[in-house]
Amino acid sequence: MTINVRRSRPEDHAAILSLMDKARGVGLSDEERARRGFVQGSLTGELLDRFQDGPGIFVADAAGELAGFAITSEPGWLPPQHPATAAVQAVTKAADGRDLGRLFLYGPVAVDDRFQGRGVLTKLLRELSRALKEDFDLAVAFVETANERSLAVHRHYGMAEDAHFEVGGRTYVAFTFSPAAFAQRPS
């Protein structure tokens, strides 16, 4: 089955919200969530509209079915107490005065269980990197340290672990990657 990546459209929002709900791991034990991975936060159609109008939401489409999604946004769109805002602050502080260029936030991201192991995340990352590499220099993501699977995935892709930070009693890792470099990765 061919999986194509494209920018989202409003008609994709219901499927994105549904996959986001499944990817939270509600009802699983802490150990199962750590092993399987999970996404945090909640999204609304209004937020999706805003993200879609920004750097974009990228969807992996498998013959009309949503195989996965990756949301990107600009720093400053979320409240100061949000982990994404803290991640940007932690990465900036860790840069110790170095110019990081133009930043965008990467995440949340989810791949439907039925499509895992088929390179969906690689396709999403490569295509969003190709689309954003001219406008942005660095992607920033955050992963809670309790999310073992997501930590392993980000490390697998060679994303830099730039900082550790805490929000609301939870510890996170701030990851970064260059969209220009990731866009060059082979298929």
Side-chain angles (χ1 to χ4, degrees):
M1 171 178 288
T2 302
I3 298 173
N4 296 306
V5 175
R6 60 175 171 76
R7 287 186 182 261
S8 69
R9 300 184 286 256
E11 56 268 22
D12 297 316
H13 290 186
I16 291 168
L17 292 171
S18 177
L19 180 53
M20 177 83 172
D21 283 343
K22 285 190 246 179
R24 278 193 189 89
V26 174
L28 299 176
S29 70
D30 289 344
E31 294 79 22
E32 289 172 310
R33 288 181 83 224
R35 185 176 42 77
R36 291 180 51 142
F38 58 90
V39 296
Q40 295 176 295
S42 60
L43 294 174
T44 64
E46 182 179 304
L47 264 177
L48 290 179
D49 287 340
R50 187 170 184 194
F51 291 144
Q52 186 171 302
D53 290 342
I57 301 171
F58 296 81
V59 295
D61 184 297
E65 285 190 81
L66 181 71
F69 68 84
I71 296 176
T72 65
S73 60
E74 293 196 45
W77 281 12
L78 297 165
Q81 68 277 14
H82 194 280
T85 304
V88 170
Q89 292 168 345
V91 166
T92 302
K93 183 178 178 182
D96 198 29
R98 284 181 296 118
D99 181 17
L100 298 174
R102 300 159 297 170
L103 306 178
F104 73 94
L105 290 161
Y106 154 72
V109 175
V111 175
D112 188 293
D113 290 344
R114 298 171 300 149
F115 296 96
Q116 289 184 3
R118 297 186 190 184
V120 172
L121 183 55
T122 300
K123 289 178 183 191
L124 283 164
L125 283 166
R126 191 175 51 249
E127 291 307 315
L128 76 83
S129 291
R130 287 178 180 162
L132 301 179
K133 70 181 180 177
E134 299 301 323
D135 295 320
F136 296 96
D137 302 302
L138 195 66
V140 178
F142 66 93
V143 177
E144 186 177 346
T145 56
N147 194 339
E148 295 170 8
R149 176 136 188 226
S150 187
L151 289 171
V153 166
H154 285 76
R155 290 171 179 147
H156 166 78
Y157 283 109
M159 295 180 187
E161 292 184 48
D162 284 352
H164 288 248
F165 63 96
E166 190 174 305
V167 173
R170 295 177 182 204
T171 305
Y172 297 88
V173 177
F175 287 94
T176 60
F177 68 92
S178 160
F182 206 96
Q184 300 302 314
R185 287 179 68 122
S187 296

